[in-house]
Amino acid sequence: MKTIIWYQNDLRVDDHLPLEEALRYDDPIEGHFFISPKQLVENRFGVIPLGNERLHFLKESLEDVAGSLDALGIPFFVHVGHPLETLDPNDRLLFQRAVGYNERRREEEVMKKWKGEYETFGGFTLFEEDDIPFEKMPFLFTEFRKAVEYDVRPRELVSRKATAATRDVTFPFPFQEIEKDPRTAFPFKGGELAAKRRLNDYLSVPIRTYKETRNGFGVDDSTKLSAYLANGSLSPRRVFFELEAHERTHGVNESTYWLYFELLWREFFQWVALEQGKRLFRTQGIRSKRKDWRVDADVIEKWRRGETGIDFVDAFMRELNATGWMSNRGRQIVANYFAKELEQDWRYGAAYFESKLIDYDVASNYGNWAYQAGVGNDSRNRRFNIERQQFTYDPDGAFRNRWL
Ligand SMILES: Cc1cc2nc3c(=O)[nH]c(=O)nc-3n(C[C@H](O)[C@H](O)[C@H](O)COP(=O)(O)OP(=O)(O)OC[C@H]3O[C@@H](n4cnc5c(N)ncnc54)[C@H](O)[C@@H]3O)c2cc1C
C-alpha cells in the first residue's frame, strides 16, 4: 500500500498536515496534483478559467513543491483529469480540504468511492472549523471580525523547511512561456521559497507603513502575499505567526494590526463561501437581490481590453492583461464600474478575473465581486465616483501614464 498526498491549493511542505501525517507511516509516499480539464477550455462566460498568467505562476509553484518533495524522497505527479481516473482507491489518501463549491464536490466524489483509508485536514484557512464561534456566519464582516480577532487563535504551526531545489514539471498540454512585463507590481516567482522570501522582506521594513501605503500601486505598497496564499505556497498560519513574531520584536503599530485585519477579510470570505456553496455564483448573489443585469458582448469586451474610455479603469485593466496582477484599489474600482455603471452581469467580470489573476481564489474573488455588485455581504449600495478615486489615489496621473 502507498500513501497518496492529494495536493490542491496547498503547494508547500511547511505547515502541511497531510505531509506530516504521511511521514508517520513506513509506506512509500507519492504526491499528486490534478488540473480539471474544464479549467482549460472556454466556459459559458467566454473565458478559459486557467489563463496563461495563472498557469505560468502555477507551474513555478508546482516545480517548487516538487523539488522539496524530491528532497524527502517523494515523487510528485501532475495530471489533467479526475483523481479517480489515476489513483488506486485501495491506497491511503491524505489531503487538505479546499473551499470552493466545485472543488468540494470533487473531493466528495473521491471520498465516496475511496475503498482504503482516507483522512482530510484543514490549513487553507487561518482558523479551524471547530474554533469558529458561529452556528451561522454573520452577514457582515465587522460582526465576524469582532467575534474572532482576539478570541480565536490559529492552531500551532508544524514547521518544515522547503529546499532550494526545484524539479521540472511538464504540463501535458501546449503551454506558452511568458516574459514578465517590467512594469509589473508583482515581479516575484511562484513557489514556497519565493513566498517565504517575500514574507520576510515585507516584514523587515515595509510592514511598518502598510496602513498608509496599502492603497497604492507599487511593489511594496502591499504585501503581495495573496498569490502565495491562493496556491497554498504559504499557509495563513505562517503569515499570522511571523507577523506576531515581528510585533514581539519591533512593536505593534496600526500597520501591523491592519495586516491582521486584512487577513481576516480573507478568512471571512472563505467561511462565507463554505457556508453558501453554489449560491456564491448566482447572479442574484447570496442576498437573492434581483436586478436586470445586462450582457452586452461589446461593452464587456471593451472593459476587458481596457478600452472603456475611462482612463483609470482602462489603466487597471491593461495592467491586469499584461501582468495577471491588479491592486486591491484597482479591483474595487473596475468591478464597481462594471456592475454599477455598465450594469453588466457581475459574473462575467468575476469570470474574467478568474482567468487572469495569478492570485485567483474562489472565495475572495466571487465574494468581493458580489460585494461590489451589491449582491454580497454588504447592506449598502456603494457606487464609486471614479474622478474622486483618481484624484485621491493617482493625483499626478503616474499610474495612468504607466499603462495607457
Ligand atoms: C473584485 C475583487 C476581486 C478580488 N479577487 C481576489 C482573488 O481572486 N484572490 C485574492 O486573494 N484576493 C482577491 N481580492 C482581494 C484583494 O484585492 C487581494 O487579496 C489583494 O489585492 C492582494 O494584494 P496583497 O496580497 O498585496 O494584499 P494586502 O493588502 O497586502 O493584504 C494582505 C492579505 O490580506 C488578504 N486580503 C486583503 N484584502 C482582501 C479582500 N478584500 N478580500 C479578501 N482577502 C483580502 C489577502 O490574502 C492579502 O494577501 C479581490 C478584491 C476585489 C475587490
Side-chain angles (χ1 to χ4, degrees):
M1 183 170 71
K2 292 193 294 270
T3 300
I4 304 292
I5 306 174
W6 173 14
Y7 272 90
Q8 304 192 86
N9 286 354
D10 49 344
L11 301 177
R12 64 177 182 275
V13 293
D14 178 44
D15 194 29
H16 195 279
L17 301 177
L19 173 62
E20 297 308 322
E21 179 65 14
L23 290 168
R24 289 181 47 227
Y25 301 98
D26 286 333
D27 307 316
I29 308 172
E30 287 179 0
H32 290 264
F33 180 86
F34 297 87
I35 297 175
S36 158
K38 282 193 186 149
Q39 298 277 88
L40 301 171
V41 291
E42 203 169 290
N43 63 16
R44 67 189 173 114
F45 298 107
V47 293
I48 297 174
L50 204 39
N52 210 38
E53 284 79 8
R54 274 188 70 194
L55 263 179
H56 199 265
F57 192 75
L58 174 64
K59 187 164 185 282
E60 289 174 350
S61 313
L62 290 166
E63 288 180 339
D64 188 273
V65 77
S68 291
L69 290 174
D70 214 27
L72 292 167
I74 303 174
F76 182 70
F77 306 93
V78 175
H79 317 267
V80 175
H82 195 283
L84 289 171
E85 292 161 5
T86 308
L87 302 179
D88 178 351
N90 297 301
D91 283 332
R92 178 186 298 109
L93 179 69
L94 307 172
F95 63 98
Q96 179 186 290
R97 290 220 68 178
V99 167
Y101 174 75
N102 291 328
E103 292 76 4
R104 299 280 282 201
R105 252 194 7 187
R106 185 169 70 160
E107 290 174 355
E108 267 137 35
E109 280 161 19
V110 170
M111 289 190 280
K112 213 162 136 196
K113 301 233 165 95
W114 203 259
K115 299 196 182 86
E117 302 167 31
Y118 69 81
E119 196 175 342
T120 66
F121 301 83
F124 193 73
T125 48
L126 188 56
F127 306 127
E128 292 303 308
E129 196 169 351
D130 290 346
D131 303 336
I132 292 280
F134 317 106
E135 291 273 309
K136 188 165 169 25
M137 269 294 285
F139 175 68
L140 293 176
F141 168 71
T142 308
E143 278 173 56
F144 171 80
R145 175 181 61 77
K146 285 186 177 157
V148 298
E149 72 181 339
Y150 300 115
D151 294 337
V152 184
R153 212 174 144 71
R155 303 227 176 143
E156 282 309 309
L157 279 170
V158 192
S159 297
R160 182 174 287 278
K161 267 209 156 52
T163 54
T166 56
R167 226 202 57 211
D168 281 352
V169 162
T170 14
F171 285 141
F173 48 82
F175 167 71
Q176 202 189 331
E177 286 292 340
I178 45 175
E179 292 228 342
K180 271 210 187 294
D181 189 307
R183 296 168 298 177
T184 186
F186 192 98
F188 312 109
K189 273 186 73 158
E192 188 168 8
L193 269 181
K196 287 272 183 62
R197 199 174 305 132
R198 176 62 188 164
L199 178 61
N200 289 340
D201 287 353
Y202 197 81
L203 292 181
S204 67
V205 177
I207 181 64
R208 303 306 298 173
T209 52
Y210 171 69
K211 178 124 192 275
E212 295 90 71
T213 61
R214 52 182 277 277
N215 277 304
F217 312 127
V219 179
D220 283 337
D221 287 341
S222 64
T223 65
K224 306 294 184 289
L225 294 178
S226 55
Y228 301 115
L229 289 164
N231 273 350
S233 300
L234 203 56
S235 85
R237 283 193 290 252
R238 171 60 66 193
V239 181
F240 175 89
F241 285 109
E242 296 295 330
L243 178 63
E244 207 177 55
H246 168 93
E247 286 178 332
R248 270 198 304 274
T249 316
H250 302 281
V252 176
N253 71 8
E254 279 200 323
S255 288
T256 60
Y257 166 72
W258 213 261
L259 180 52
Y260 180 45
F261 180 96
E262 293 298 339
L263 287 173
L264 291 180
W265 265 110
R266 175 184 182 273
E267 192 70 8
F268 174 66
F269 283 126
Q270 303 303 322
W271 292 104
V272 168
L274 276 165
E275 185 178 73
Q276 297 291 337
K278 217 174 165 174
R279 290 162 60 92
L280 192 65
F281 308 100
R282 299 189 313 178
T283 174
Q284 67 272 36
I286 60 171
R287 288 172 68 191
S288 301
K289 236 183 158 235
R290 298 246 165 230
K291 183 176 152 71
D292 291 327
W293 294 102
R294 298 186 190 151
V295 180
D296 303 325
D298 190 42
V299 173
I300 294 176
E301 190 53 26
K302 283 199 170 118
W303 174 84
R304 284 179 181 171
R305 287 171 185 251
E307 292 173 2
T308 65
I310 306 293
D311 282 357
F312 213 20
V313 171
D314 291 347
F316 287 124
M317 292 307 291
R318 290 185 201 183
E319 177 190 31
L320 175 67
N321 291 333
T323 66
W325 180 261
M326 193 194 293
S327 63
N328 183 49
R329 178 58 42 191
R331 295 179 201 200
Q332 291 179 56
I333 290 171
V334 302
N336 196 277
Y337 180 76
F338 188 85
K340 298 276 167 68
E341 296 294 331
L342 301 176
E343 297 184 319
Q344 302 297 312
D345 181 341
W346 64 276
R347 295 169 310 159
Y348 282 79
Y352 191 65
F353 268 33
E354 175 173 352
S355 82
K356 288 282 169 191
L357 281 175
I358 55 168
D359 69 0
Y360 168 69
D361 166 71
V362 56
S364 301
N365 190 56
Y366 283 86
N368 272 292
W369 263 95
Y371 188 98
Q372 289 300 331
V375 298
N377 299 80
D378 187 16
S379 36
R380 285 175 291 177
N381 188 21
R382 295 164 212 254
R383 193 192 204 102
F384 282 18
N385 175 332
I386 307 234
E387 251 175 58
R388 197 171 319 136
Q389 293 282 325
Q390 215 166 263
F391 180 73
T392 311
Y393 298 107
D394 191 29
D396 58 0
F399 179 77
R400 275 163 287 157
N401 287 338
R402 192 177 317 143
W403 293 104
L404 294 179

